[in-house]
Amino acid sequence: MTFNPGDTRPTDAGGGRFDVPATVAPLPATAVAALLSQAFLWMFAGLLLTAVVAFAVQGNQTLLRFAADYFIVLFLGQLGLVIAISAGIRRVGATTALGLFFVYAASLGLTVGLIVSLYTGESVATAFLSAGAMFGGAALYGATTKRSLAGLGGTLMMGLFGIIVASVVNIFLGSSTIGWIISIGGVLLFTALTAYDVQKISSGALVASTGSIEKAAVLGALSLYLDFINLFLFLLRLMGNRR
């Protein structure tokens, strides 16, 4: 739809993105550590699942054809899963929400595998390592900075929608220059969103909105997962060498 096949971050407009209320009571340090650890654990598990499925897709022509032929169906299903997790997090159990997250991560592996198959292995590895370094730096900043990033929420969402609109317009224009600018903007945006999301998780806002640390960890993992995936895909567009 927008940035790349399988790039579903725009669907996260309702996907756990809440401005951090000023009245949220801060969590104890031990609770913050437990929440962040659990969120990152589920995020990394989701990324691993996506990577395994993507690897399987690249080595199987049947799966590649399936991902290409049913891209729209996959996209709509992924969109529905993100909405289901985000909107229904208070009504379903943490285990159910986590299961839906892993189904989403597996389905995204199909589309990510299709995208990665278009690039050389070296450029994919470079983009992945670069995304990991940028994500790690932004996450560390979000977890340690004393500066409140809550005020950036509105600006970041405006930037997100701006990239969506520009990407849709560029589908018809087919401008490589505009595509390059969009990719640069996407890298900057999702780096900032990573810091914002980490601080939002540690602030207790997700616990307040979901009602439990377990559910907050799943919703936080989804946001962080989407941050990393989109950062990787934008970097791949900038740095990748097509086969």
Side-chain angles (χ1 to χ4, degrees):
M1 167 183 155
T2 54
F3 318 127
N4 280 294
D7 184 352
T8 54
R9 180 68 202 209
T11 66
D12 196 34
R17 293 218 153 277
F18 307 100
D19 287 333
V20 180
T23 56
V24 171
L27 295 174
T30 53
V32 171
L35 177 57
L36 285 174
S37 297
Q38 196 170 356
F40 276 105
L41 174 64
W42 296 139
M43 172 219 163
F44 287 126
L47 288 175
L48 179 60
L49 179 58
T50 299
V52 169
V53 175
F55 181 79
V57 167
Q58 291 181 74
N60 189 306
Q61 290 299 317
T62 301
L63 289 177
L64 278 173
R65 286 196 299 271
F66 176 84
D69 293 343
Y70 293 95
F71 165 69
I72 297 298
V73 175
L74 288 171
F75 172 78
L76 292 176
Q78 292 160 1
L79 172 62
L81 283 171
V82 171
I83 293 174
I85 297 170
S86 304
I89 193 71
R90 292 186 66 91
R91 295 187 294 274
V92 301
T95 302
T96 300
L98 183 61
L100 291 174
F101 169 63
F102 284 134
V103 171
Y104 173 76
S107 71
L108 200 61
L110 291 170
T111 44
V112 169
L114 178 63
I115 297 167
V116 168
S117 69
L118 303 176
Y119 295 88
T120 63
E122 294 80 3
S123 61
V124 170
T126 300
F128 182 83
L129 293 175
S130 299
M134 295 180 70
F135 180 90
L140 182 62
Y141 176 79
T144 59
T145 183
K146 301 300 181 183
R147 175 189 174 189
S148 174
L149 304 178
L152 295 178
T155 302
L156 293 174
M157 289 308 299
M158 288 177 60
L160 180 59
F161 285 116
I163 286 181
I164 296 171
V165 172
S167 299
V168 172
V169 170
N170 199 42
I171 291 175
F172 301 98
L173 296 179
S175 170
S176 59
T177 301
I178 294 177
W180 183 82
I181 293 172
I182 291 172
S183 296
I184 291 288
V187 169
L188 296 175
L189 175 66
F190 286 104
T191 301
L193 278 170
T194 298
Y196 173 82
D197 283 334
V198 170
Q199 188 178 87
K200 180 180 64 179
I201 294 169
S202 59
S203 72
L206 292 186
V207 175
S209 65
T210 61
S212 77
I213 287 181
E214 291 76 13
K215 292 181 180 181
V218 175
L219 201 56
L222 176 62
S223 292
L224 295 173
Y225 172 92
L226 290 168
D227 289 334
F228 183 88
I229 287 291
N230 280 281
L231 184 56
F232 165 65
L233 292 176
F234 275 120
L235 285 170
L236 186 60
R237 288 183 60 180
L238 286 173
M239 307 167 65
N241 296 317
R242 293 214 172 227
R243 293 184 185 275

